[in-house]
Amino acid sequence: MPYIAVAGGVNVDIGARPFQKLRAKDSNPGHVHTGLGGVGRNIAHNLRMLGAEVELFTALGSDGYARAMLESCAKLGIGTDHTLHVLGAPTSTYVYISDERGDMSVAVADMEICEKLTPDYFAGKLDVLNGAALVVADTNLPVESLHYLAENLTVPLFVDPVSVAKAEKLTDLLAHIHTLKPNGLEAELLSGVPIVDRNSARRAARKLIDLGVRRVFISLGKEGFLAAADDETVWQPAPEAQVINVTGAGDALMAAIAWSWLRGENLSRTAALGAAAAAITIECESTISPALSGEAVLMRANEEN
């Protein structure tokens, strides 16, 4: 059975959403929940929901959060045999506050443990990584480790830039990336093309393709996203959805893009399946939708088309 290797961060997610309009510098009545997340873990979780086999390459501390993370992965069927355990270190934590509509307003991430995911760590796992059908990496990895993966993987490398600040790590690596999933701001940084509308997003995508990226999916939020390859560009509008929480939409999109590659889908179909996965996810309060499955994504995509 082919598997997907996911290399990136895991977090304990602590999220809050006010009942009414968010007021700065004040206490806002609302709902607070704690869960397990992180871009790498969320992508791995979504991939399992879609039916893919997954091996997770990440770092965990020596606390209760680490035990909870391992128990969750075991229950989901996510492989953790290659996880790095750092004695005496805390497992990384991500705190975010949404507005009353569910859109994220601000977040703080304590992810210093990811610096332990060094090139030496990945060198010891290279055979397993290259045995995968593809590798999905996020930019929570140190820049030296991203360089190592880019230069030593023999399988396609899919990358989630995570944020504008962390996307800078990819500046010199674009020619090694098979599939890139930035949002508009991340794509603007990496391409040097200001993105203000769909046409400028197309120009940014073309620039990224010219710089060596094989495929790029630029998310423009509620408008949808642009998918581009060397000889094709597809505009994928966002499906109709009742927005409850948008926090996990990008992770679901990346998972669906990787899953679609395993299925041998073309660019247009990959875009449709990715949009369907994101739509299912934002209709749920939690970051990972329990309604997500390969069957549900295929049905949603077929209904939209």
Side-chain angles (χ1 to χ4, degrees):
M1 178 72 70
Y3 60 91
I4 295 176
V6 178
V10 300
N11 284 319
V12 177
D13 285 341
I14 302 173
R17 178 176 176 178
F19 295 138
Q20 299 178 344
K21 185 176 176 61
L22 185 66
R23 296 199 302 179
K25 300 181 180 180
D26 197 4
S27 177
N28 291 262
H31 177 66
V32 177
H33 63 274
T34 302
L36 302 178
V39 173
R41 186 207 167 278
N42 286 349
I43 292 171
H45 189 163
N46 279 304
L47 281 166
R48 285 298 296 141
M49 300 289 283
L50 292 169
E53 297 294 324
V54 184
E55 290 291 333
L56 182 61
F57 296 77
T58 192
L60 293 174
S62 54
D63 50 21
Y65 288 147
R67 290 190 293 274
M69 196 75 68
L70 290 171
E71 290 171 3
S72 173
C73 286
K75 184 176 180 180
L76 291 166
I78 298 172
T80 57
D81 289 346
H82 307 286
T83 295
L84 177 67
H85 298 272
V86 184
L87 295 178
T91 299
S92 60
T93 305
Y94 178 75
V95 180
Y96 65 92
I97 298 175
S98 303
D99 64 18
E100 72 281 4
R101 298 182 302 275
D103 292 328
M104 188 181 71
S105 294
V106 67
V108 176
D110 178 359
M111 303 191 68
E112 291 184 12
I113 195 171
C114 288
E115 296 302 313
K116 301 295 184 180
L117 295 169
T118 63
D120 286 343
Y121 161 76
F122 285 111
K125 311 295 182 182
L126 190 59
D127 287 346
V128 184
L129 291 164
N130 280 330
L134 62 99
V135 174
V136 180
D138 72 42
T139 55
N140 289 308
L141 302 180
V143 63
E144 298 84 5
S145 297
L146 289 167
H147 274 269
Y148 179 84
L149 292 175
E151 294 165 2
N152 290 276
L153 288 177
T154 58
V155 297
L157 175 61
F158 289 39
V159 179
D160 189 318
V162 178
S163 68
V164 173
K166 294 178 181 179
E168 292 187 41
K169 298 178 182 181
L170 304 175
T171 303
D172 299 328
L173 302 179
L174 297 175
H176 298 280
I177 296 174
H178 182 282
T179 298
L180 182 68
K181 187 204 69 64
N183 62 24
L185 292 174
E186 293 157 359
E188 185 173 304
L189 170 75
L190 292 170
S191 68
V193 177
I195 298 177
V196 296
D197 54 21
R198 295 181 189 179
N199 287 332
S200 55
R202 287 187 177 90
R203 292 194 296 273
R206 283 294 114 202
K207 181 63 178 296
L208 290 169
I209 297 295
D210 291 343
L211 290 170
V213 178
R214 294 277 297 279
R215 302 188 307 166
V216 60
F217 295 79
I218 301 177
S219 174
L220 297 180
K222 62 183 179 181
E223 289 187 47
F225 61 88
L226 184 80
D230 184 51
D231 57 352
E232 185 180 7
T233 301
V234 175
W235 172 253
Q236 176 63 50
E240 292 285 335
Q242 182 179 357
V243 178
I244 296 178
N245 181 8
V246 302
T247 305
D251 300 331
L253 172 58
M254 186 53 148
I257 290 170
W259 175 68
S260 297
W261 174 259
L262 274 188
R263 290 172 51 85
E265 304 287 0
N266 62 25
L267 186 71
S268 179
R269 183 65 171 165
T270 297
L273 295 174
I280 291 169
T281 300
I282 66 176
E283 292 177 336
C284 176
E285 180 66 40
S286 59
T287 305
I288 311 291
S289 173
L292 188 69
S293 69
E295 182 180 359
V297 168
L298 291 167
M299 184 178 300
R300 185 70 171 257
N302 291 337
E303 288 174 354
E304 293 293 331
N305 295 322

